[in-house]
Each structure stands twice: as structure tokens, then as C-alpha cells.
């Protein structure tokens, strides 16, 4: 079992030609049957360019974590976060850049023909963002926002129910859709 359960996930996916930004907020809860407060959080990840790691406390304040023994350490298999503090619950925000157009493994987010596609099971989510990509970690995806160019991606689809959609106010050539999935995945 993992040291932490992921209870909820919020994703913000911004698709651009040649690069996609994925911001994830993971609501983490200590798994007291195997870990004590302050235990490391192990996240799987492959072919991700890490841009941001932040710990969000219960009051909503964010603390940037830096690479090193008191923050996080990267490997070819993922990331180990050691700077989680002693709280039993916390949120972790990460932002990564990926290149779906260069992804030929057909897992995670990839470009095929004229559209972007995803294959997250089995172990595909680790090619999308940092996450404990294992079958016993089930989380609710409370907000998944997808944004892309209207002409290149005229249809935006995600799991769950569409709860919002529209044109991006800062760039009218782009649009977005927001999905909420009430079932843990």
C-alpha cells in the first residue's frame, strides 16, 4: 500500500502545438496503516518536464518545494516528495510540460492522425503527470479543465459530466471545457 491515498484530483490541461501543460492538484491523505506523519510521497512519472512543485496547506497557502532531500527528488521512474510536513492531509500542486506529438508509446496523452488521444490505464497516467499510478489508488476527479485551439481541437471530451465550457477570455481563438467525474478512478 502507498504512504498516502489520493482522495481528489484537479487537472488543468492546456494543449498547444508542440507542448502541453498539465497542472495537477492532488488531495493527499496519510495511509495510517503503513505510514506515519511526514512519510515520503512516492509519485510515478515518465517523460515529464517538471516546472512546479508546491505544497498547499489547509489554510490555502502554498510553499514551493525545491529539488533536494528536504523537498523532492527526481528519478527516471518518478518523484519522491519528502517535504510534506507532519500534517495527515495536504494538497500537492505540480505542473509539467509534455510533448504528445512526440509520444509514440500510445499511452498518456498522444497525437494520432488529426487528434489528441489518451490511454491512461495501465500505467499511462505516469506519462501525463506525476501520480501514484497504481491500481489501489482511486481518486475522484473533481475538476478536469481542458483548453485548446478551437480550429485544431474543435471538440473537447473528458470523463464524467461537463460542468462548464466556453471561449478563453485572454485568447478568443482558444476554448475550454471542464468535466467532473463523481466516481473514483
Amino acid at each position: 500500500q502507498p504512504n498516502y491515498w489520493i482522495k481528489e484530483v484537479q487537472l488543468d490541461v492546456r494543449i498547444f502545438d508542440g507542448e502541453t501543460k498539465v497542472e495537477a492538484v492532488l488531495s493527499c491523505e496519510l495511509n495510517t496503516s503503513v505510514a506515519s506523519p511526514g512519510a515520503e510521497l512516492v509519485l510515478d512519472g515518465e517523460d515529464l518536464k517538471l516546472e512546479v512543485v508546491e505544497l498547499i496547506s489547509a489554510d490555502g497557502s502554498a510553499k514551493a518545494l525545491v529539488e533536494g532531500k528536504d523537498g523532492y527528488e527526481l528519478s527516471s521512474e518518478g518523484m519522491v516528495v519528502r517535504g510534506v510536513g507532519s500534517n495527515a492531509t495536504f494538497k500537492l500542486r505540480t505542473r509539467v510540460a509534455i510533448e504528445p506529438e512526440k509520444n509514440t508509446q500510445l499511452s498518456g496523452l498522444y497525437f494520432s492522425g488529426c487528434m489528441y488521444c489518451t490511454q491512461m490505464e495501465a500505467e499511462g497516467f505516469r506519462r501525463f503527470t506525476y501520480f501514484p499510478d497504481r491500481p489501489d489508488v482511486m481518486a475522484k476527479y473533481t475538476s478536469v479543465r481542458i483548453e485548446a485551439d478551437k480550429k485544431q481541437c474543435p471538440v473537447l471530451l473528458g470523463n464524467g459530466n461537463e460542468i462548464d465550457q466556453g471561449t478563453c477570455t485572454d485568447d478568443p481563438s482558444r476554448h475550454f471545457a471542464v468535466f467532473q467525474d463523481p466516481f473514483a478512478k
Side-chain angles (χ1 to χ4, degrees):
Q1 290 186 348
N3 288 342
Y4 294 91
W5 299 117
I6 309 302
K7 294 299 190 177
E8 293 184 356
V9 177
Q10 297 173 336
L11 295 171
D12 186 2
V13 182
R14 296 171 190 250
I15 300 170
F16 297 95
D17 190 27
E19 181 177 69
T20 295
K21 303 282 187 173
V22 180
E23 182 172 293
V25 177
L26 309 179
S27 296
C28 305
E29 181 179 291
L30 183 67
N31 179 357
T32 56
S33 66
V34 298
S36 300
E40 62 188 27
L41 171 62
V42 178
L43 303 171
D44 298 297
E46 295 176 7
D47 296 326
L48 307 172
K49 180 183 172 191
L50 182 63
E51 296 181 346
V52 173
V53 180
E54 291 180 330
L55 188 67
I56 303 171
S57 63
D59 68 3
S61 62
K63 172 189 168 192
L65 298 180
V66 295
E67 192 166 5
K69 64 179 182 139
D70 295 328
Y72 64 89
E73 293 182 1
L74 295 173
S75 72
S76 60
E77 293 86 31
M79 173 171 48
V80 175
V81 182
R82 293 194 171 90
V84 299
S86 60
N87 291 330
T89 61
F90 60 88
K91 292 182 181 180
L92 185 79
R93 177 186 296 129
T94 60
R95 186 175 63 237
V96 300
I98 57 176
E99 297 178 281
E101 296 84 0
K102 293 182 180 178
N103 179 357
T104 59
Q105 292 190 12
L106 304 181
S107 68
L109 177 66
Y110 60 94
F111 191 77
S112 179
C114 63
M115 68 178 150
Y116 291 89
C117 305
T118 60
Q119 176 58 48
M120 299 303 185
E121 298 177 18
E123 301 183 352
F125 204 69
R126 66 186 64 202
R127 299 183 55 76
F128 187 65
T129 192
Y130 287 101
F131 192 81
D133 194 7
R134 33 183 299 154
D136 59 347
V137 176
M138 305 285 284
K140 288 185 180 180
Y141 289 75
T142 57
S143 175
V144 178
R145 183 182 183 279
I146 304 168
E147 175 187 313
D149 182 83
K150 289 180 181 180
K151 289 182 182 173
Q152 187 176 9
C153 301
V155 178
L156 302 174
L157 293 175
N159 282 352
N161 303 311
E162 185 178 70
I163 58 172
D164 195 11
Q165 57 84 30
T167 298
C168 296
T169 56
D170 60 334
D171 184 349
S173 69
R174 297 178 63 78
H175 65 146
F176 70 92
V178 182
F179 299 88
Q180 184 178 62
D181 195 336
F183 303 104
K185 302 234 177 308

